[in-house]
Amino acid sequence: MTRIQEISIDSDLYPEKLRNIKKPPYKLYTIGNLELLNKPSIAIVGTRHITEYGTRNCKNFAQKITEQGIPIISGMAIGTDSVAHKTALEFGGETIAVLPSGFDNVYPKENEKLFQKIIDKNGLVVTEYPPQVSANSARFLERNRIVSGLSEGVLVIESAFRSGTSVTAKLAYQQGRVVMALPGRLDNSFGVGVNKLIQNGAKLVTDIEDIIELFPQFMNKKWKNNTYLQESFFDVKDEYSEIVSILRGKVLSVEEIVQKTKEKNLRETINLLMNMELEGIVEEKLGEGYTLI
Amino acid sequence: MLSIVKSMSLQGLEGILINVEVDISAGMPSWEVVGLPDTSIRESKERVRTAIKNCGIQVLSRKYIINLSPANIKKEGSMLDLAIAVGILRSMDVISSDDDLENTIIVGELSLNGTINKVNGILPICIEALKYGIKRVIVPKENAKEAAIVGELDVVGVSSLTEVIKYLNDEIKIEKEVVDIQKILKNNRLKKVDFIEVKGQETIKRALEISAAGGHNCLMIGSPGSGKTMMARRLPTILPDLTFEESLEITKIHSIAGKLDNNNLITERPFRSPHHTISANGLIGGGKIPKPGEVSLSHYGVLFLDELLEFNKNTLEVLRGPLEDRIVTISRVGASLTYPCNFMLVASMNPCPCGYLGSKEKECTCTQKQKEHYKTKLSGPLLDRFDIHIQVPSVDYKKLESKSGESSENIRTRVNNARNIQLDRYAGTGIYSNSELTPRLIEQYCTLDKESSDILSMSFQKLNLSARAYSKILKVARTIADLDESENIQKIHLLEAIQYRSLDRL
């Protein structure tokens, strides 16, 4: 944790867009790629209790946004935030995680791996709290104002009625950020919040085009077709590269992986997957199969 | 006049030779059965008297005393009816041959019209009878084939009381019942199901092959319709062949439980799949005089628990002892009995409460919270019981049914091979398969080279494996090495074994 960089509000590195919000953080603690602070980016927020529908669409949007070369900001909570960060990393994109705690007490604990991964993969982690501070519910909301503050616009995936996510959306309005929402499912309580947001004026988005249209700054060629999206971003051993490319953006069972490989049999694949799991490249999810971390 | 006839009663798998002593004397007319009979035996006097009457023999009003010795052991069941009837008829001099019935036991239940009905537990009775030096058994016709399996006894199958009287008075001859055991063993090779019918699902087949080879308990996790039950049903077809002794033991237990359909030797490994509403007693056995439960009925076979998490927690808890000891002792007021239960536990469960997590057909409707909660149901002690966890991916059902998989025969050849290696290696240690390895034996037989032990310790750090996973991984790795006919456990064996700890790695 020696790489922590402290940026105070009067520093040149302090992002201009954050300076303009109500109650800007006095000091930011960061680890990672500082360039990202000043890049236009999009925040993806949503419930921690993400459904299948949410996961699928969150992944899809995160992938498309990443492919446009736009960094994704989120809060590194479980559920929506994790999906957004992970997808961005999987597709070789950049991502910023804003923590509700200091770096000594990474919250939530389950995401310590993800935290490390974001730093390793040229992403950025930010918090306004000194390292020894631990998370509490008030800090979640304080964290959310930075998430929206650092972004150009906030994409809401799923949220329950009157939830933390709705508060983030409200903060985003107040900060003058664009609030976008995915249409929620009518038959699910986590569809209520987003639909309410849409009724109150949030932009309904169904496609990456809808998002690009809202932000003239992303039309700029500079951000399009970015070159980080190269295979070389994943510097994996040759023997793993086939499986890595098969697994990108997908969750597959061992069986499906075997079928997709050129000429690997079941036992070779199992062995490779196990090796990769030990090296922290893939993980197995209950009921779903293998996925890249 | 006093007469003594031999019969047999069962206490669990143990037979007790019973002397049925009948005395008819002058005095107040009465029928008395003494010697700790239960209700079904006490009622037998009515059946016996009526049956004798309906055979056209006059039953005189006398004092009838029937003693079942040894008199201090509780006896149950209707199997003593025939012996009591023969005793009375001998006392009445209706049966008056020189045949002293010294080396004969008589077993059977009587109907009021004199026909002889079949009874449960004939096979264990006959096996036990041999130990007492019995040479001949008189049994109900329907049970004769079952009794003949024992081979060394003269089996006389009878269908009515009149026939018995004539037979014992040497008025008719009854052919000894003989069965050709080799033929039975061969005939039953025809299996109803086969792995050839399962296309795809290679990962599961592989896992089941390893389970079968090492006798490992296996847990399958997958959404409904992914073929978990279908695969489990085919598991017995790849299990190692039964020996005659094993067949006999399985048949004994099924005979006692009255679950022998055709009164024949059981030559296939049993596959039991009790419903999840089963009680603890149903599972391990119970009753006033305990009967074998599902664990004993799946002795030398497979106990399949479908939807494992739907089972009552206490019910699963009682499995712990039997799984370790491979026998189960059930104590009740009536008796304390021990039944063997050396079975392989195979279970299935859904990956989430709604069941469709990761399914291709239907969307999972569970929230993250529900999924987390579901995982907590998988407690340590529960996972402790399984050596292999395997995730079953959902597949197109049509694809599952088409014929193009590997045949069970092929797989069984490999399994048999691996089992034989184990039998040779463990000769004299009192265990038969890798799943039974004790910590001390693991140290002796599951040695790892430097590279492999590095991998193992690394996997413990990186994958959060629990301590209990350690011995399971080594046992499974040993079996995989045996399937490869490899002397030592190598890196590839170890890695595959770690892969089969899905739930520990979560």
Side-chain angles (χ1 to χ4, degrees), chain B residues 172-283:
Chain B
I172 54 166
K173 286 261 177 276
I174 297 177
E175 279 290 308
K176 276 186 282 177
E177 191 77 33
V178 183
V179 293
D180 185 350
I181 286 162
Q182 289 311 317
K183 209 170 136 196
I184 299 176
L185 284 174
K186 271 195 199 104
N187 265 356
N188 279 284
R189 274 282 154 266
L190 273 176
K191 301 274 159 68
K192 284 175 219 119
V193 289
D194 196 299
F195 267 107
I196 208 164
E197 296 145 17
V198 186
K199 192 188 173 189
Q201 299 289 36
E202 296 300 329
T203 37
I204 325 301
K205 280 194 224 164
R206 170 80 184 157
L208 289 180
E209 179 180 332
I210 296 167
S211 298
H216 300 291
N217 297 331
C218 177
L219 174 61
M220 297 186 281
I221 307 135
S223 39
S226 55
K228 301 185 295 284
T229 315
M230 182 187 174
M231 305 281 241
R233 284 202 182 284
R234 281 160 178 76
L235 184 58
T237 64
I238 60 165
L239 290 176
D241 295 333
L242 272 180
T243 62
F244 177 64
E245 285 71 29
E246 284 175 326
S247 276
L248 213 54
E249 199 157 332
I250 297 171
T251 315
K252 262 162 76 174
I253 296 167
H254 283 247
S255 176
I256 289 172
K259 298 226 186 286
L260 225 49
D261 297 333
N262 48 5
N263 297 318
N264 232 331
L265 193 65
I266 293 179
T267 52
E268 259 181 76
R269 291 186 185 264
F271 178 89
R272 306 286 304 179
S273 64
H275 189 252
H276 61 69
T277 51
I278 190 173
S279 68
N281 288 346
L283 203 57

Side-chain angles (χ1 to χ4, degrees), chain A residues 48-49 52 56 185 190 253-256 266-267 270-271 274-275 277-278 284-287 290, chain B residues 200-203 206 351 357 360 363-364 391 393 459 462-463 484 492 495-496 498-499 502-503 505:
Chain A
R48 280 169 293 154
H49 312 297
E52 252 340 88
R56 199 169 58 228
R185 273 169 57 149
F190 295 107
S253 67
V254 181
E255 189 107 3
E256 288 165 320
L266 177 67
R267 297 190 57 190
I270 287 178
N271 265 295
M274 227 28 252
N275 267 322
E277 186 167 347
L278 287 176
E284 193 179 21
K285 284 181 156 180
L286 181 62
Y290 276 93
Chain B
Q201 299 289 36
E202 296 300 329
T203 37
R206 170 80 184 157
L357 182 64
K360 304 224 159 23
E363 194 162 284
C364 170
Q391 304 217 21
S459 59
K462 293 237 171 164
L463 307 175
D484 273 3
I492 49 166
L495 282 173
E496 192 175 349
I498 300 171
Q499 137 86 18
S502 280
L503 291 173
R505 307 208 308 269

Side-chain angles (χ1 to χ4, degrees), chain A residues 55-107:
Chain A
T55 311
R56 199 169 58 228
N57 289 296
C58 178
K59 273 187 183 164
N60 184 25
F61 272 98
Q63 178 188 345
K64 295 281 169 56
I65 293 170
T66 303
E67 281 169 0
Q68 296 290 323
I70 305 166
I72 291 172
I73 304 186
S74 199
M76 217 180 78
I78 57 168
T80 312
D81 293 10
S82 302
V83 174
H85 288 304
K86 280 179 186 165
T87 314
L89 292 177
E90 250 173 60
F91 286 89
E94 297 165 323
T95 189
I96 304 173
V98 186
L99 268 62
S101 60
F103 290 140
D104 287 352
N105 298 300
V106 173
Y107 183 90

Side-chain angles (χ1 to χ4, degrees), chain B residues 307-356:
Chain B
E307 308 301 347
L308 183 71
L309 292 186
E310 301 299 325
F311 280 80
N312 188 327
K313 226 178 173 151
N314 290 340
T315 312
L316 293 176
E317 221 50 38
V318 299
L319 274 179
R320 278 165 102 170
L323 270 172
E324 285 295 313
D325 307 338
R326 318 228 167 220
I327 51 164
V328 54
T329 302
I330 313 151
S331 297
R332 292 289 185 276
V333 169
S336 173
L337 301 178
T338 300
Y339 290 111
C341 60
N342 188 356
F343 62 95
M344 197 174 131
L345 180 62
V346 177
S348 78
M349 56 173 264
N350 291 332
C352 67
C354 83
Y356 289 99

Side-chain angles (χ1 to χ4, degrees), chain B residues 10 54 58 124-125 181 231 235 260 281 399 403 406 417:
Chain B
L10 282 174
N54 286 338
Q58 196 189 359
I125 285 176
I181 286 162
M231 305 281 241
L235 184 58
L260 225 49
N281 288 346
K399 227 172 131 191
K403 288 199 175 189
E406 194 180 10
N417 198 9

